Amino acid sequence: QSLDIAREKIIDPAYGRWLERNLNPHRQPGYASVTISLKPIGGVPGDATDVQMDAVADLAETYSFDEVRVTHEQNLVLPHVRIGDLRAVYDVLVAHGLAEGNAGHITDIICCPGLDFCGLANARSIPISQAISNRFAAPERQKEIGELKIKISGCINACGHHHVGHIGILGVEKKGTELYQITVGGDGTQDAAIGGILGPGFVADDVPDAIERLVDLYLEKREAPRERFIDAFRRLGVAPFKEALYGHA
């Protein structure tokens, strides 16, 4: 089966990306845990239609012992899928626009509903997420960047977990203008850390450029292709990231 999968990765690069990013190991040999990304490029993070949910329910019933789980990262998981059924599951996901192979990548953004849907929010968050997703849409660029967790909140309640994002974005309102503070260095794993605010906030249109400057610095300064963004930040410290964002001044 592993040889067949390796062959299919070469024949179908999109399927290969999905296998690399959206599978997790299973305790039972011959099985895998499958992440269904609800983060299509330029889409609303965590959103799914009724037709898509019906398709997921059918997949769970057919291929995952009738079980599907919802993750805090706004994705879905089929926890028990036979290795031999992966292609069949993938083909159904493709047909329903659910086969984005980007779990853990820069476009797999956690995002609260923000001012578009939430009465408590101070700023929009969904359009910011969509703009960043579109900026980093190229699969080759996502793979080059590697694991990078961006989390966006539209108010201080932090429903988007921005405090623990490798890059966090907090929308605030100031004198009628929506501004976005950027934090760096957060981590929601066992190495938990709260990200620090780098400086003044940005207007919405400037946020994708700001994120790109941080990513470009990371790619320039990382010690090896396998050094993650969060690890490079811990090694380099906050100063170079702040300078990349705001300049020497």
Side-chain angles (χ1 to χ4, degrees):
Q1 287 181 329
S2 60
L3 289 176
D4 291 338
I5 289 175
R7 190 179 301 112
E8 288 194 72
K9 283 183 179 182
I10 297 173
I11 297 172
D12 187 344
Y15 180 51
R17 290 192 296 271
W18 183 80
L19 291 172
E20 290 175 3
R21 297 305 312 175
N22 292 37
L23 298 191
N24 288 294
H26 199 285
R27 182 179 298 177
Q28 179 67 30
Y31 282 80
S33 170
V34 174
T35 296
I36 300 175
S37 174
L38 298 183
K39 316 292 177 53
I41 298 301
V44 177
D47 195 32
T49 68
D50 58 335
V51 175
Q52 288 175 323
M53 290 304 297
D54 282 340
V56 171
D58 289 342
L59 285 173
E61 182 177 24
T62 305
Y63 299 109
S64 188
F65 297 95
D66 212 8
E67 184 174 351
V68 61
R69 300 177 186 177
V70 179
T71 76
H72 78 282
E73 294 182 322
Q74 298 176 324
N75 291 319
L76 301 174
V77 169
L78 298 175
H80 317 292
V81 178
R82 292 180 185 272
I83 299 297
D85 291 333
L86 289 174
R87 183 72 207 204
V89 170
Y90 174 78
D91 288 341
V92 173
L93 294 176
V94 169
H96 290 86
L98 293 169
E100 196 71 52
N102 64 344
H105 272 172
I106 191 170
T107 58
D108 185 15
I109 300 169
I110 294 179
C111 178
C112 80
L115 199 58
D116 289 312
F117 296 100
C118 178
L120 300 176
N122 305 117
R124 297 167 300 157
S125 52
I126 291 173
I128 303 300
S129 173
Q130 292 173 304
I132 295 171
S133 178
N134 284 321
R135 177 66 63 91
F136 294 95
E140 297 78 13
R141 194 173 189 202
Q142 293 185 57
K143 184 174 182 178
E144 179 189 19
I145 296 167
E147 180 184 320
L148 204 172
K149 297 185 179 294
I150 294 181
K151 307 179 190 293
I152 305 174
S153 299
C155 76
I156 201 65
N157 287 318
C159 297
H161 321 159
H162 73 273
H163 292 114
V164 292
H166 296 166
I167 297 177
I169 301 172
L170 170 62
V172 298
E173 185 274 331
K174 187 173 183 180
K175 297 181 180 180
T177 301
E178 295 173 37
L179 297 175
Y180 296 87
Q181 297 175 345
I182 295 178
T183 61
V184 176
D187 191 349
T189 69
Q190 64 269 26
D191 299 315
I194 300 297
I197 298 174
L198 293 186
F202 295 84
V203 297
D205 288 345
D206 292 341
V207 173
D209 288 337
I211 301 304
E212 191 159 29
R213 291 197 292 274
L214 295 176
V215 170
D216 287 345
L217 173 72
Y218 155 65
L219 293 175
E220 176 189 346
K221 298 294 186 181
R222 67 182 178 183
E223 287 189 329
R226 292 187 178 273
E227 185 179 35
R228 301 177 305 159
F229 180 95
I230 186 63
D231 296 326
F233 171 80
R234 288 170 175 162
R235 176 176 57 83
L236 295 167
V238 69
F241 289 89
K242 187 170 184 176
E243 182 178 322
L245 207 54
Y246 299 103
H248 290 287

